[in-house]
Amino acid sequence: MSRAQKTVRGIAWAVAANLGARGVGLIGTLLLARYLDPADYGEVMAASVVASTAQSFSNLGLGQYLLVKPQADDRVIFHVTFYSAILCGGALLIGLALGPTIGPIFRVTQIMRYLPLLSVVALLDRISSVPERLLYRDLRFKLVSLNNAFGDFAYTAVSLALVTRTGGMSIVWGNVARSSLRAAVIFKVNGRRGWLDPVPIRRDITRQIFGFGLRLALGNWAGFLARRWDNMLTSRYFGPAVMGAYNYAYNLANVPALQVGEQIGDVLLPSFGHLEGQKRRNAFLRSTRMLALLDFPLAVGLGAIAPTLVIVVFNAQWHTVGPMLVILSSLSLAYPLGYTAGCYLQAAERPMLLSYLEIGKALLLFGGIILLGRLGPLWVCVAVAAAYSLHALASLWMVQLADGVPFVESIGGLCPPLAACGPLVLAVLAVRFGLHRRDPLGLTFEVLAGIAGYVAGAVLF
């Protein structure tokens, strides 16, 4: 099988497996909301932000090195394992020590109830990320996709089984189940060869991997802060209950981006690493067009049905999610484009450009939240959506500067799928205002109308 065929099949498996798992997970997440108070959910998310911050800031771009340098030998792989585990463990200990101080600052006083176990989960994820990168490097996308999907199934089953008895802790135990299952499969498939076989730590290899990784680290940190610490600012301004609703809306809005766009990006990064010159540029243009064809109708459709979806699925204490979701659904238009462009820049060995983009996005996002957020929670959503949209456009322009991929051609390939979403929105609105129904049947008709509208738009444009 050619590399192109492996890439396309990998994308198909990644998208299909994650859509199936995410479908089940989405249903589980919506059911959880019926049993969880928004404030309790906000407390769990705050603890998750602290644990994942320690995990992210200790990464230093080492995992990406294995994807961009597919010829790395076993000595290099063990060095990545060793430094990843040591740095992550130390950062998590610092996070645990700071937890009691962070809680009152951001009005999340129960954070230490959840943080210790979530820190253990973060360390397990970091250790298992190295053998998982090896599977991606070897283009074994099907195995990784199915493993991730079954992990998501485990999260949904465990969290739903425990929610009535343990409340917010059910989400923590769901994370434990998901990470443990994924790690067990990855360790079994890879064994210990290469990544866990100890070798003497060498200065030249250390300099080699950190020389690459540190150029990515700043951008990774900025990107992480933009993705997660908007929650903490929201909590500081409006309290954990509003933050819980905002986080729910953000996560729902990101379903198309993470489960379609990011899965495609994860497959494309190692694939771009095997290509050079014009072949890589052509692959980027084709991949962004395919991404738009798959992702845009999901993102626009989600925003179109959001008001009805929230009324049908959530109880009254969660209804503020609706208008937030309408605004934030634009994230799934912008985020995958920026993510794919970032994968391309990594493969082209231009990590500093990626760092500049992520820093710019973080500055735009936090600056917007600070300036507009005090006006109300919806203005936080506006600031976040604007920052991601500008970042996507800047990313495509940076790919042109870095490797000559025409910006106009990149944008031109996105216009037909976006135009095809116009009839989708019109069809949904026509059904909503024609039927005047905010019940499961009305939601079903809106979804069916949106599908028909997009098909008509695809034929037209």
Side-chain angles (χ1 to χ4, degrees):
M1 189 185 299
S2 71
R3 203 169 278 131
Q5 288 174 313
K6 287 183 179 180
T7 301
V8 172
R9 291 195 179 190
I11 289 173
W13 272 107
V15 171
N18 282 279
L19 277 178
R22 195 59 184 178
V24 174
L26 181 60
I27 294 172
T29 299
L30 297 176
L31 289 174
L32 279 173
R34 293 187 171 274
Y35 300 99
L36 289 174
D37 182 85
D40 290 340
Y41 182 75
E43 296 274 2
V44 180
M45 291 302 103
S48 175
V49 168
V50 173
S52 54
T53 298
Q55 184 192 48
S56 178
F57 271 62
S58 63
N59 182 17
L60 302 182
L62 304 185
Q64 288 96 321
Y65 182 87
L66 297 179
L67 297 178
V68 176
K69 303 289 187 180
Q71 291 77 32
D73 60 25
D74 290 353
R75 296 175 303 165
V76 174
I77 296 169
F78 177 77
H79 278 68
V80 172
T81 303
F82 173 78
Y83 286 116
S84 295
I86 294 296
L87 291 170
C88 186
L92 288 168
L93 289 175
I94 295 173
L96 285 168
L98 294 177
T101 302
I102 293 173
I105 293 175
F106 294 98
R107 300 165 65 178
V108 281
T109 57
Q110 301 299 313
I111 190 172
M112 291 307 295
R113 180 184 176 195
Y114 311 108
L115 184 56
L117 198 52
L118 286 173
S119 297
V120 174
V121 171
L123 182 60
L124 179 60
D125 286 343
R126 169 55 54 78
I127 294 172
S128 62
S129 69
V130 177
E132 184 181 63
R133 291 290 197 283
L134 298 181
L135 294 176
Y136 272 121
R137 185 192 66 174
D138 297 335
L139 307 183
R140 300 179 67 181
F141 305 121
K142 177 180 176 180
L143 174 61
V144 177
S145 300
L146 290 175
N147 188 38
N148 289 338
F150 283 118
D152 288 338
F153 289 144
Y155 167 82
T156 301
V158 171
S159 57
L160 282 177
L162 297 178
V163 65
T164 56
R165 286 179 287 175
T166 62
M169 276 300 295
S170 63
I171 297 176
V172 179
W173 287 114
N175 277 281
V176 171
R178 173 169 52 195
S179 297
S180 299
L181 178 61
R182 287 178 175 176
V185 172
I186 289 172
F187 295 162
K188 178 67 175 178
V189 170
N190 279 282
R192 57 179 294 145
R193 187 180 64 83
W195 73 281
L196 205 55
D197 282 335
V199 298
I201 300 300
R202 291 176 45 172
R203 182 178 300 178
D204 59 331
I205 296 178
T206 299
R207 187 183 301 113
Q208 177 183 343
I209 59 176
F210 278 98
F212 173 87
L214 287 174
R215 291 183 292 165
L216 282 176
L218 197 58
N220 288 343
W221 295 342
F224 173 84
L225 291 173
R227 287 194 307 274
R228 300 303 302 272
W229 277 80
D230 53 335
N231 289 282
M232 303 301 279
L233 279 180
T234 303
S235 180
R236 179 167 175 79
Y237 288 148
F238 307 108
V242 173
M243 189 265 267
Y246 168 80
N247 187 268
Y248 242 100
Y250 185 99
N251 288 339
L252 288 173
N254 253 341
V255 168
L258 297 180
Q259 302 306 316
V260 178
E262 193 167 290
Q263 300 305 320
I264 291 175
D266 286 342
V267 172
L268 288 173
L269 175 55
S271 302
F272 285 152
H274 289 281
L275 300 173
E276 294 181 357
Q278 190 60 41
K279 288 184 178 180
R280 185 164 60 201
R281 289 189 282 272
N282 291 339
F284 176 76
L285 290 172
R286 293 175 64 189
S287 64
T288 53
R289 291 166 185 163
M290 177 179 64
L291 178 64
L293 182 67
L294 295 172
D295 187 69
F296 282 11
L298 296 175
V300 174
L302 179 61
I305 67 170
T308 304
L309 174 69
V310 171
I311 290 175
V312 170
V313 174
F314 291 92
N315 52 33
Q317 63 181 343
W318 289 95
H319 281 180
T320 54
V321 171
M324 292 181 179
L325 182 55
V326 172
I327 298 170
L328 290 173
S329 61
S330 62
L331 291 179
S332 283
L333 294 174
Y335 176 76
L337 295 174
Y339 189 83
T340 303
C343 292
Y344 187 90
L345 291 172
Q346 290 183 56
E349 300 191 32
R350 304 296 295 274
M352 286 307 299
L353 296 181
L354 178 59
S355 293
Y356 297 148
L357 286 167
E358 293 296 336
I359 293 169
K361 179 175 69 177
L363 291 174
L364 284 171
L365 187 143
F366 290 117
I369 291 177
I370 292 170
L371 289 174
L372 301 177
R374 298 179 187 274
L375 300 176
L378 293 183
W379 286 98
V380 172
C381 300
V382 170
V384 171
Y388 273 90
S389 298
L390 291 172
H391 171 262
L393 294 174
S395 297
L396 295 177
W397 178 64
M398 197 68 76
V399 168
Q400 173 179 293
L401 295 181
D403 209 34
V405 180
F407 176 79
V408 173
E409 195 169 348
S410 296
I411 294 294
L414 306 177
C415 291
L418 186 59
C421 294
L424 182 159
V425 175
L426 293 175
V428 171
L429 294 178
V431 168
R432 179 180 304 152
F433 293 111
L435 295 179
H436 297 288
R437 298 183 68 122
R438 296 294 182 93
D439 56 14
L441 184 60
L443 178 62
T444 301
F445 281 125
E446 287 187 21
V447 171
L448 293 176
I451 294 171
Y454 184 67
V455 172
V459 172
L460 180 62
F461 294 104

